[in-house]
Every structure is written in structure tokens, then in C-alpha cells.
Amino acid sequence: MNAFLPPDTHAISASALLAHYNKTAQLEAADLHPVLTAARLLGETNDAVLVAAAAALRATRMGSICTAINTLPDEFDQLPPAAELISALQASPLVSCDAQESANQRPFRLDGTLLYAQRFWLDQESVRSVLLTRRAAPPPVVDEALLARAVVEVFGESNSAANLDAKTAVINAVRSWTSVIAGGPGTGKTAIVGKLLQVLAMLTERELSVALAAPTGKAAGRLQTMVSGIEPPDDFSVHPQETLHDSHLPQQQRSITQRFPKLHITTGTLHRILGSRGLGHGFRHNSVDPLPYDLLVVDEMSMVSLPLTAALLCALPASTRLVLLGDPDQLASVEAGAVLADIVDSGLSASSSSSRPLVTQLSHVWRYGGAIATLATAIKTGDADLAIATLRSAAPEVQFIEIDAALAATATHNSRHYAALAPLFDTVTAQCRVLFAAASQGDAITATAALDQHRLLTAHRDGSSGVSSWQRRLENHLKATIPGYGSAGLWHLASPILVTSNVADLGIYNGDQGVVIATANGYQVAFSTGDGIRLIPPAALPKIQSAQALTIHKAQGSQFDEVSIVLYEDSRLLTRQLLYTAVTRARHKVRLIGTTSALRRAINTVALRASGLATRLRGA
């Protein structure tokens, strides 16, 4: 047994060089075995080529879609110089270097100095080709006078900076086959979609088929709320779509579909819209059977992987307007690719015949302000000193519970640590009292609303600072503090629930969050969806887990009144994007728990995903 990796991660049949990099954990068995199989089938014996190919597979596992050959000799000390390595790759039977159809049968593709697994290169080129084809097409025919009147009617006469940005986003979407609305959380992206639907309805007499899609059920539910609930407020000085469910908004307002019956709107996850046939079996809609919509809006585009984007664009008719919403500074997809960031970085114009930008950037934040906004900006721009100063400023919107490194290392059993965490436990207890009282009375509306009051976020699933550890601590604290809490098994009354798989026939999707309440039919999990409260027995949900604490990845796309974020020294996954995403989940308060060194390291660590898409788009 070696000291670096457990035995089940060894690549048994690897050569001495490959085994060396495997044992030092630079390459895993999952990277090596496919390459070794392909090498045997195609007759490749050059170890340097095999290391590079394995590095390309490792890159996809880590979120990139390719690996840069120029950097590999610095990482793998026994590889030849980059120029020699590129020559070996060009001569390899594993690698194609041209656009000939027969070359697509090879498992890897060398494009300049970037090495791809072939399928990711094909997905990249598919996305590039569709975007550039749509950009080169004559733009949609628009009655400009009617458009101007519709924009005034929908937005009013206000010329505030935020209103002008929103108007620009809608006008660009109307005039273009493809447009991007980029902005951080709470900048009103979803509200702008409501405005866009109204304007489009005013521009035509015919019926319009619209699809509003998102990568998660939670985000799709927000779109559904916008359609079937209260329409976005006309005055952007009011909090936009993020709080359309709040009781203080005027309930007499009619929904968009009531005002414009010509709009036929479908909402759902991207997989549902595309007609997923199950893992590995593709989608119903493709180039042969395209999507039947006049407008397709995709929210939370930063979370959409390259392969899913390729499938989506392949199924998109040339006559369908496409609007992408998202924040390029947030976490990218869990799978490979950073398509939204690549599109934004490309600097493309909306049309080859126009200088209008493809991307409209929103800057005004409606969800939060003050110290949270300052903190989020400091993280996004890499200013660790400003972030720490803001957290220590005593502003009511932020709190920094500073834990020294030695205390953090013994967090599971150190009484001083628990004393320092009193503000966190007080917040969790207050939230649970509301949850438990509402759940006991079967009050699903109050219980699901209380669920969004606070959430603890961590970088890890496991470990002393991970979700599993914190869930045990919080549950034990609540059981000791609130009489009757946790007395009825695993999914007890007031348990917060996270769904981890799609249950389409029940209208529940991966990422949805609910709470266990008492009903006349026994315990049910209450979910707040776009079309109201849904009650489902826990046994009908095949994959659920406690949501007392969440990983930051799982929290993406959600908003909470208050978030607490754990930043211990062992949180090696922390990056600037991860921390920014965590902080911007909060509406009213952010609490950071951890060390200043961990905070600095997170802010100074930028997660870079290797990709050639932005460069390929820019070269058009």
C-alpha cells in the first residue's frame, strides 16, 4: 500500500511513469484507465502522450473542458518541453488535429495548444457554430415605433440607471435572436423577463409560445411564480421578482398570462423542456425534432454545463429568440464548462450587422445593499483587505465570528468554540421555534416561509467543517433546546428536507427544499412551488437528505434572509467564486465563521476553467 492513494485508486496496468503520477495523486485511476484502453486499441506507446491525454480527462473531471499543453511540463516533471509534446500529440493515433469527419473517431482533439477529450471539443464547436450562425442571420423584423411605445407603457418614463439597463436588456432581446442578461443576484433579471413577455405580447397579434427554463427545480419554480403569480412590479424602485411571493405586494395585480392570453408559457427544468430520456439516453428534442417555441429563456445559465448547452442549442430552431440569464461571477456548472462566462468574455455583438453588444450587464442590486453589497464587491474584485474590514465594521448586515486556527482544528469538541458560536445557535433556534410551531399546526405557508429565514452553508459535504458534521451539531442543539423536537425518527416534525433527484410526476426536482409538517394524513413534506403549496409523503421522495446545512453548490439559485458561512482551514474547496456565491445568497445578513487566513485564501484563489470557447467566438 502506498502513502498517497488508497489501493482502489491505483491504475494497475500503468507503466512506470504513469504509475508514478498515479501514486503522487496527480492523476487518478479514472483519468488513466480510459487512456490505457484507447492506447491498447489504437497502438499508442508514448508515455508522454498518455500523460497528456489523462490530464485532459482530469481537466473535465475538475470542471474544465480541455487542458493547456504549455502548462503540463511544469506540473509533470518528466514530460518533454511543450513544443516536443505537441509534436508527439500531432503524430499520435489517439489525437486528431483537423476538422475531417473521420478524425472525430479519435478520442482526443488537439486545437492549437489545447487538448480536449473529443466529445467536449465537438460540444464546444457545436455551441460556437450555433451561436455564430444565429448572430449572422438577419435579425428579427421589429416595428420600431410600436416597440418604443410598448417599452414606455411597460417601463414608464423613468430614466434611472437601473430602469435604463432593464429597458436596454428588453430591447436587445426583442431585436436579437440571441441575447444575454448578466448580473449578480438580486439585480432583477427574472423581473426583466416579465417585462420582456409583456413587450413581445404587445408587438404581435398572433399567439406566442414561450418556454422558461432553468437547470434546477428551485430556479424553474421562481420563473413559474412570475408567470402564474403576481406580475413583476412596474416600478423598479420596489424589490423586483425575487420577492413576488411576499405578502406585502398588491395581491389584486393580475398575472402576465391573465393580461396577455396570447402568451402560451411552459416552465420547467432544462431536462424537462428538452424531454430527457434518462441518463445517457439523450433528449426527445434535437435537430430532427426541434423545440416548438417562439421564445426560450434560460435562467441561472452559469450553472449549465457545456454538454447540456450543446444539446439545447442543437434543438433550438433558427426562428426562436434565445435569452440567457445569469451571473458569470458565480460558481460554474458542477459538470464541465463555463459557457456563460465564455460568452460574456467573448465580447460578441448581438448581430454581425450591428455593434449592439450581445450582453446587457445589470449593476443595480435590489436584493441587498450596504455592507453585504460592499462585501460581495470586495470578494468579486479580489480585495481581501476590504472584505475583512467590512466584516469587522460592526455593520448590522454582516458578522464575523473569527476562530483562530488552533480552535478550528478542534471544533468538534472544544467548548470555547461552541461559546463563540452562540449567535449562530441563537439564530438557528429562533428559526426552528417558528418552524416547529407552524409544522405542528399543519401551517404549510408559515413553515415553508420560515425555511428561508436562515441557512448554514459550507464548502464541503464531509469533514469537520462539512455539511454532515454541522447537521449533527445543529440537530443535537435543537433537540436539547426545543421540547419535542426530533422525537419521532429521522424525518421528524419540522425537519428541513432537500430533494436530491427529480420526481417529475410529482412536480418536485433536484434542489427543491421543503419541511415536514403534521397533516390529517400524517407527516407530509410541504414544498412552496410556483403554483402554490405541494404536500408529499416523505416515502414518496426517493432521494432526500436533511437541509439543516447545505453545501454552497446546493444553495446556488436559492435566497435566504440570513446565511452563515463556514470558512475553516480545511475548506480547501473555497475559491473566490464559491465565497461570492455563498455571500450573495443572503437578503439581509451574512455571518462568516472561520479564520482570516481561510478568508484571504478563498478571496485570492480564483477558480479558472480551461476553455477555448471564448477565443473561438472572439475570432469570428
Side-chain angles (χ1 to χ4, degrees), residues 35 86 148 154 176 202-203 230 247 256 289 345 478 498 584 612:
V35 172
I86 288 174
V154 170
S176 310
M202 294 176 185
L203 293 180
I230 304 167
S247 59
I256 292 173
D289 183 9
D345 289 347
L478 293 172
L498 174 70
T584 55

Side-chain angles (χ1 to χ4, degrees), residues 519-539:
T519 74
N521 297 317
Y523 283 179
Q524 305 268 320
V525 183
F527 295 92
S528 179
T529 68
D531 52 2
I533 297 293
R534 188 162 296 164
L535 298 177
I536 299 174

Side-chain angles (χ1 to χ4, degrees), residues 122-277:
L122 293 173
D123 284 340
Q124 174 185 280
E125 289 307 287
S126 176
V127 170
R128 181 192 68 86
S129 175
V130 173
L131 289 176
L132 294 183
T133 297
R134 292 172 63 83
R135 177 175 175 268
V141 177
V142 177
D143 184 327
E144 291 293 335
L146 186 56
L147 173 60
R149 291 196 297 272
V151 168
V152 170
E153 182 172 342
V154 170
F155 284 94
E157 300 286 353
S158 171
N159 286 321
S160 67
N163 214 34
L164 287 175
D165 285 346
K167 289 179 184 178
T168 299
V170 167
I171 291 171
N172 283 347
V174 170
R175 290 174 173 169
S176 310
W177 292 120
T178 305
S179 61
V180 175
I181 302 175
T187 51
K189 298 184 293 293
T190 310
I192 290 172
V193 173
K195 304 291 188 182
L196 170 62
L197 294 178
Q198 294 176 64
V199 169
L200 286 174
M202 294 176 185
L203 293 180
T204 182
E205 296 298 323
R206 70 179 183 87
E207 295 184 341
L208 291 175
S209 179
V210 177
L212 307 178
T216 67
K218 183 84 170 180
R222 289 205 309 273
L223 293 170
Q224 176 64 33
T225 299
M226 183 266 295
V227 173
S228 60
I230 304 167
E231 63 179 302
D234 291 330
D235 184 356
F236 266 68
S237 65
V238 181
H239 199 295
Q241 176 61 32
E242 313 292 349
T243 53
L244 291 184
H245 59 280
D246 287 357
S247 59
H248 66 267
L249 289 176
Q251 295 292 329
Q252 69 273 18
Q253 284 186 306
R254 292 179 299 159
S255 70
I256 292 173
T257 49
Q258 288 175 320
R259 288 189 60 197
F260 300 100
K262 71 179 70 174
L263 292 174
H264 298 278
I265 302 175
T266 300
T267 63
T269 63
L270 277 170
H271 284 80
R272 180 186 172 198
I273 294 293
L274 283 170
S276 175
R277 292 192 171 110

Side-chain angles (χ1 to χ4, degrees), residues 134 176-178 291-296 316-322:
R134 292 172 63 83
S176 310
W177 292 120
T178 305
L291 292 163
Y293 304 112
D294 298 298
L295 169 68
L296 173 62
L316 193 68
S319 58
T320 298
R321 283 185 175 90
L322 174 65

Side-chain angles (χ1 to χ4, degrees), residues 326-369:
D327 181 1
D329 295 309
Q330 276 193 49
L331 282 170
S333 165
V334 174
E335 300 176 63
V339 178
L340 178 65
D342 284 336
I343 293 174
V344 172
D345 289 347
S346 71
L348 279 182
S349 60
S351 168
S352 56
S353 60
S354 168
S355 60
R356 285 185 298 105
L358 179 74
V359 179
T360 302
Q361 185 73 51
L362 307 177
S363 57
H364 186 87
V365 179
W366 304 93
R367 180 184 301 170
Y368 52 74

